[in-house]
Amino acid sequence: MPSAYTRLTSRFQRLSRFGHLSAIAGWDMMTMMSPGGSRARGEALAELSVLQHQILTSPETAVDLVQAKQESLSDDEWVNLAEMERAWQQAVILPARLVEAKSVAGSRCENAWRSQRPANDWKGFAENLKEVVYLSRQEAEIRAQNAGVSRYDALLDIYEPGMTSCQLDTIFSDIKSWLPDLLQRVITHQSEQSIQQPQGPFTIENQRHLGLKAMETLGFDFDAGRLDVSAHPFCGGVPQDVRITTRYDQQNFLSALMGVIHETGHARYEQNLPTQWPGQPIALARSTAIHESQSLFFEMQLGRSPAFLARILPEVINHLGVQPALTQQNFIRLAQRVEPGLIRVNADEVSYPAHIILRYEIERALIESEIEVEDIPALWQEKMERLLGMDTTGNYRNGCMQDIHWTDGAFGYFPTYTLGAMYAAQLFQALGRTLPDVEQLIADGDLQPVFIWLQENIWHHGSRFSTRELITRASGEDLNPRWFRQHLESRYLAD
Amino acid sequence: MPSAYTRLTSRFQRLSRFGHLSAIAGWDMMTMMSPGGSRARGEALAELSVLQHQILTSPETAVDLVQAKQESLSDDEWVNLAEMERAWQQAVILPARLVEAKSVAGSRCENAWRSQRPANDWKGFAENLKEVVYLSRQEAEIRAQNAGVSRYDALLDIYEPGMTSCQLDTIFSDIKSWLPDLLQRVITHQSEQSIQQPQGPFTIENQRHLGLKAMETLGFDFDAGRLDVSAHPFCGGVPQDVRITTRYDQQNFLSALMGVIHETGHARYEQNLPTQWPGQPIALARSTAIHESQSLFFEMQLGRSPAFLARILPEVINHLGVQPALTQQNFIRLAQRVEPGLIRVNADEVSYPAHIILRYEIERALIESEIEVEDIPALWQEKMERLLGMDTTGNYRNGCMQDIHWTDGAFGYFPTYTLGAMYAAQLFQALGRTLPDVEQLIADGDLQPVFIWLQENIWHHGSRFSTRELITRASGEDLNPRWFRQHLESRYLAD
Ligand SMILES: [Zn+2]
Ligand SMILES: [Zn+2]
C-alpha cells in the first residue's frame, strides 16, 4: 500500500500529463488552428479542465493531504506537499457554480471586446465587465475570508504567492516619487540625440531567421521547443517542449527581435526547471513575477544593453542588410528609445511601470468595491495625465479597453510585470557582484557564465523556495526597488 | 433522471472530446514537435488513452448498454447504440495486461525497426516481431472466441466490420487470376510510348502552393483544416479541423501532388461527416476501407483521370514553370505510369493489389499459426516473384521490413487498401450512371455534382449503415471486383 504522499505524487503527475495536452492544444489554438475548429476545441479543453478540477478536488486528495502530514517526509517532500495543498486549496475553495459563471461571463466579455475595442464602444463593454467584476469580487471575498487577508490580496496571491498590496503600495509609491521626473529627464536627454529610423520592409522570413539566431545565441534548446507566430506573443508548451511565439511588423524589426529575446527568457526558465521531480508542483516555475523577471532579464538587462546590442548587430545586418540606421550608436539608440505612449505592450521600460501602477490602483479599488466600473475612464484619464502626461479622454480603445486581462477576470496579474522588472534589475546587479566583468563577457559573446548563474540561482530551484527566499539567496536581500531605479538612471541618463 | 441511452451519449461525447485532444497532440507529434518532447508526449498520450479506456469500459457503461436496450429508441439511436456496444466490446474484451504488453512490445519493435530497417537487420527485427506476433495471436484468440470466428477474421473486423477472410479469398483469387497478365500487357503497351521526365528541382514552396490549389479545386474547407509536412503522409485531426500532411521530393513533384489529392479525399469525408449527432459513434466514418475508398476516389478515379489531369495542368505550369515534359499527353503518361517495384507506398494502382495480396496471405497464415516469423522472407520472395516477377532475396529492407504495420501488431489492416481501391472504382462507376457526362464535368472543372453525389451517398451517412448496406445503396450491389478490373483495363489498355 503506497503512502498518502506517494498517492499524491502519482495524482499530480497525472494532472501534469493532462496539463501537457492542454498546453499543446492551447498553443495549437493560438498558432495553427483554423477558425472553424474553435468551438470543438473550446469544448475539448473545457472537458479536460473539468477533469483536472475533479482530480484535484477529489475527496481522496483531501484525505491524502491530511494523512501525508503524518508521514515522514524529506525537506523537499514537505515543500512539494505544501505546494500541492496550495493548488488544492485554490481549487477546492470556489463553488463549482461560481467557476462556471466566471468562465461564461469571461468568455462573453472577451468575445464582445474583440469587436467593441475597435469600435471604441465603452458602454457596451462596461455592461459585460460589470458582470465579470461582480463575480471576481465574489471569488475574491471567498478567498479573502479563507486566507484572512483583503479581497485584492487574495487575488494577488494566485499569481504572486506571498506578495501583499501593502508591500506593493510601498514599492509603487517609491516608484511614483521618482519616475515622472526621471522620465522627463530621459526624454529631454534623448531629444538632444539624433536618431535615424531603419527603412523597411523587412521580410518575415529574414526576421524569423534573425530571431532564431538570437534564440541560439541565448541558449534556447531547439531540441525542446520551437518558434512560431501568433497575434499575441507568448511562451507556452511544457518544459520538455517549449513553444514561444512572436508577431512580425515588416516596418519595425526591433519589435519582433526584442519580443523573441523576451520569450526566450521565459523559455530558458522553463527548459531548465528541475527534472528530478517529474510532474510535481515543486518542479514548477516559482511565480508569475519570477517568470517575468527571467524574460525581462533577457530582454531588458541583457538584450537592450549596449554590449549585447553591439554583439548582435552584425547578425542583424547579416539578415536584414546594411543600411544607414544600423550603425552601432544608432542601433543602441533605437533599442533604448524612451517614448511615453498610450499602449502598455508597446511601452519602453522607463514608462512601463506607470502603465502598471495605474492599472494596479484601479483594479484594487474595483475589487475592494471602492469604485465601480463606471468610474474607470475618469480615473484612467486622471492617472495617465499625472504619470505620463497623456490625454486619453474618450479614447477608450487605447485607454481602459486596451488589455485583455480584466475581460476574463484576471485581477491581480498586472503588478507582476513591474515586480518582474524589479527582480530582473536586482538579479542583474547581484550577478555583477559575482561576475564583475559581465559587460565584457556579453561583449565577447561569452554568455555561458551568465546562464550558469541564472541556472544555479533561479532556474533549477523550481518552486523549492518561496519567492522571498529565492530572491534573498540569489541577491542577498528581499525585493528592493532601488536596483531598478539605479538601472534606469545608469542606462538612460549616464552618457 | 436521464435515460441510460442519454447517459451513454454524454459519455461518448466526453470520449470524443478527449479523442479530439489526442488527435491534435498526435498530429503535433508528427508535424511540429521537437525530438526532445517525445517522451513527455508519449506519457501524456498514454495517460489520456488509459482514461479513455477506463471511461469506455466502466461498469456504468456496461449497465447502461443493457438498460438502454429496454428503452424506446429511434432507428438512428438503435444504430448508435449498436456502434457504442461494438466499441465497448472491442475495448472490454482484452485484459489490461495484454493491452499493456502489446503496447510495450509494439513500441520496442517499432523503435528498433527504425534503425534495423536501414541496416537490413532481419535477424534483430525478427526477434522483436516474434513477441508482437505472439501477443497479437493472443489478442486474436480472445476476440475470435468471443465472436465465434477465426482468429484472423476477428482482427480484420476491427478495421473492416463485416468483412471476412472467406470473402477476401474469393475477391483476391479473382484478382490473382487476371492481375499478372494485365500487368504484363500494360507494361508492354506503355513500353511502346515515349515518356519524358520533368526536370527538377521544384521548390517546396512552389509545390506547397500547387498542393493548396489542388485542395481548393477539390473543395477542401480551409476554415476547418490545414496542410503540413510529415515523414509519412496522413490525414489526422478532427472533422471540424482536419489536418492533412504530405512530404516533398524536389525532383518528383507528382508524388506530393498526388499525395495531397489522396489525403484531400480522406479530408473531405471527415469534413462532411454528419453533424447532427455530435461526438456519437454513428457520426464517425464507416470503416477503414470506406475511408480509403474516398482517398482513392480522389486520387485514382478523379485525380489521375485524363480529364482532371488536363484540367489541372495549367496550374502545374503556373506554379512550377513551363517545361517540355509538361505537355498534356506526357503529363497524363507520367501520372498513369505503371512500373512494378519493391515498395508498396510507391506502387501504381495496377501493381498495388499484388503488394496487398502478398501481405494478406502472409499475415493471415501468421495469425492462424500456419507459419512462423522465420518463414516470412521465403514466402515474401516466392510471392513477389509470382505476382510481380521481382527478386527480393536478402533485400529485407525493401522486402518484408518495409512497412510499419506489423511492428505494432496492426494485423488485418492491409486488405483495406485494396478493398478501398475496389470500392472507389465501383462508386465511380455508379456515379457515372447518375451523371453520364461526368468526364465532361471534370474536364470543365465543374466538380460540384461529383461532390454532391459523394456527400449524399457516402459522407453524410457516417456510420448510419453497414458497409454492405452503404455500398449497395450507393451502387446497387455489394462489393464487386469487376468494376476495379474494368477501370484498370479501360484506363491502361484502351488507347
Ligand atoms: Zn513576459
Ligand atoms: Zn489513404
Side-chain angles (χ1 to χ4, degrees), chain B residues 330-347:
Chain B
N330 194 66
F331 183 54
I332 293 171
R333 286 184 180 169
L334 286 166
Q336 296 189 347
R337 192 69 182 170
V338 172
E339 210 154 14
L342 296 176
I343 305 296
R344 174 185 61 82
V345 298
N346 298 339

Side-chain angles (χ1 to χ4, degrees), chain B residues 148-281:
Chain B
V149 298
S150 77
R151 279 199 212 154
Y152 185 76
D153 282 25
L155 296 185
L156 186 58
D157 190 74
I158 298 172
Y159 306 102
E160 207 44 39
M163 182 54 62
T164 63
S165 54
C166 173
Q167 205 183 341
L168 278 183
D169 283 340
T170 310
I171 293 164
F172 286 169
S173 73
D174 174 73
I175 296 181
K176 281 203 286 187
S177 74
W178 50 261
L179 190 75
D181 175 59
L182 172 68
L183 188 58
Q184 231 14 81
R185 281 158 61 212
V186 173
I187 292 167
T188 310
H189 178 67
Q190 291 194 348
S191 70
E192 290 153 13
Q193 300 170 339
S194 72
I195 191 164
Q196 192 171 3
Q197 292 304 319
Q199 296 306 309
F202 304 101
T203 69
I204 290 173
E205 209 37 35
N206 288 345
Q207 289 195 54
R208 175 177 152 77
H209 281 110
L210 175 60
L212 291 170
K213 184 72 205 173
M215 288 165 73
E216 192 192 313
T217 304
L218 293 168
F220 184 92
D221 179 0
F222 286 95
D223 186 50
R226 43 181 291 142
L227 168 68
D228 293 277
V229 175
S230 68
H232 303 279
F234 67 95
C235 171
V238 294
Q240 304 86 345
D241 185 6
V242 177
R243 308 286 174 99
I244 71 170
T245 70
T246 191
R247 57 181 164 194
Y248 298 100
D249 175 345
Q250 300 220 17
Q251 297 308 322
N252 174 8
F253 74 87
L254 263 175
S255 147
L257 177 60
M258 287 299 155
V260 166
I261 292 173
H262 180 101
E263 301 305 335
T264 301
H266 283 303
R268 291 220 61 190
Y269 189 10
E270 287 289 315
Q271 289 181 332
N272 290 283
L273 285 168
T275 55
Q276 71 266 42
W277 305 295
Q280 300 307 306

Side-chain angles (χ1 to χ4, degrees), chain A residues 150-258:
Chain A
S150 76
R151 277 198 212 156
Y152 185 75
D153 281 26
L155 295 186
L156 187 57
D157 191 76
I158 299 173
Y159 306 101
E160 208 44 39
M163 182 53 62
T164 63
S165 53
C166 173
Q167 205 184 341
L168 279 184
D169 282 341
T170 311
I171 292 163
F172 285 169
S173 72
D174 175 74
I175 296 182
K176 281 203 287 186
S177 74
W178 49 261
L179 189 75
D181 175 59
L182 173 67
L183 187 59
Q184 230 17 80
R185 281 156 62 212
V186 173
I187 291 168
T188 308
H189 178 67
Q190 291 195 348
S191 70
E192 290 154 10
Q193 300 170 340
S194 71
I195 190 163
Q196 193 170 3
Q197 292 303 320
Q199 295 305 310
F202 305 101
T203 70
I204 289 174
E205 209 37 37
N206 289 344
Q207 289 196 55
R208 176 177 151 80
H209 282 110
L210 175 60
L212 291 170
K213 184 73 205 172
M215 289 164 73
E216 192 192 313
T217 304
L218 293 168
F220 185 93
D221 180 359
F222 287 96
D223 187 50
R226 46 182 287 140
L227 169 67
D228 293 277
V229 175
S230 67
H232 303 280
F234 67 95
C235 171
V238 294
Q240 303 88 346
D241 187 6
V242 177
R243 309 286 174 98
I244 70 171
T245 69
T246 191
R247 57 180 164 193
Y248 299 101
D249 174 345
Q250 300 221 17
Q251 296 308 320
N252 173 10
F253 73 87
L254 264 174
S255 147
L257 177 60
M258 287 300 155

Side-chain angles (χ1 to χ4, degrees), chain A residues 33-210:
Chain A
M33 192 183 76
S34 299
S38 71
R39 187 170 157 192
R41 181 67 53 86
E43 288 171 358
L45 284 172
E47 190 71 60
L48 187 62
S49 139
V50 166
L51 173 77
Q52 290 170 299
H53 192 265
Q54 274 169 356
I55 296 170
L56 184 56
T57 61
S58 69
E60 292 79 15
T61 304
V63 170
D64 286 341
L65 282 169
V66 172
Q67 216 172 307
K69 289 183 190 159
Q70 321 296 324
E71 295 173 355
S72 122
L73 302 178
S74 72
D75 286 358
D76 288 349
E77 288 169 342
W78 274 112
V79 170
N80 195 33
L81 184 62
E83 291 296 327
M84 287 172 173
E85 186 158 19
R86 187 181 137 75
W88 170 80
Q89 180 74 253
Q90 298 233 352
V92 85
I93 199 175
L94 294 188
R97 52 140 203 87
L98 180 57
V99 174
E100 169 76 15
K102 253 203 87 178
S103 157
V104 170
S107 298
R108 186 186 306 127
C109 187
E110 186 183 319
N111 281 330
W113 169 79
R114 294 191 189 283
S115 51
Q116 285 164 342
R117 189 189 167 200
N120 203 37
D121 176 12
W122 163 253
K123 275 231 170 91
F125 178 64
E127 275 317 296
N128 291 325
L129 185 60
K130 273 180 210 164
E131 178 70 13
V132 174
V133 169
Y134 171 76
L135 295 166
S136 295
R137 282 175 180 167
Q138 285 189 24
E139 175 188 357
E141 181 62 30
I142 292 169
R143 295 192 186 282
Q145 296 223 351
N146 181 265
V149 298
S150 76
R151 277 198 212 156
Y152 185 75
D153 281 26
L155 295 186
L156 187 57
D157 191 76
I158 299 173
Y159 306 101
E160 208 44 39
M163 182 53 62
T164 63
S165 53
C166 173
Q167 205 184 341
L168 279 184
D169 282 341
T170 311
I171 292 163
F172 285 169
S173 72
D174 175 74
I175 296 182
K176 281 203 287 186
S177 74
W178 49 261
L179 189 75
D181 175 59
L182 173 67
L183 187 59
Q184 230 17 80
R185 281 156 62 212
V186 173
I187 291 168
T188 308
H189 178 67
Q190 291 195 348
S191 70
E192 290 154 10
Q193 300 170 340
S194 71
I195 190 163
Q196 193 170 3
Q197 292 303 320
Q199 295 305 310
F202 305 101
T203 70
I204 289 174
E205 209 37 37
N206 289 344
Q207 289 196 55
R208 176 177 151 80
H209 282 110
L210 175 60

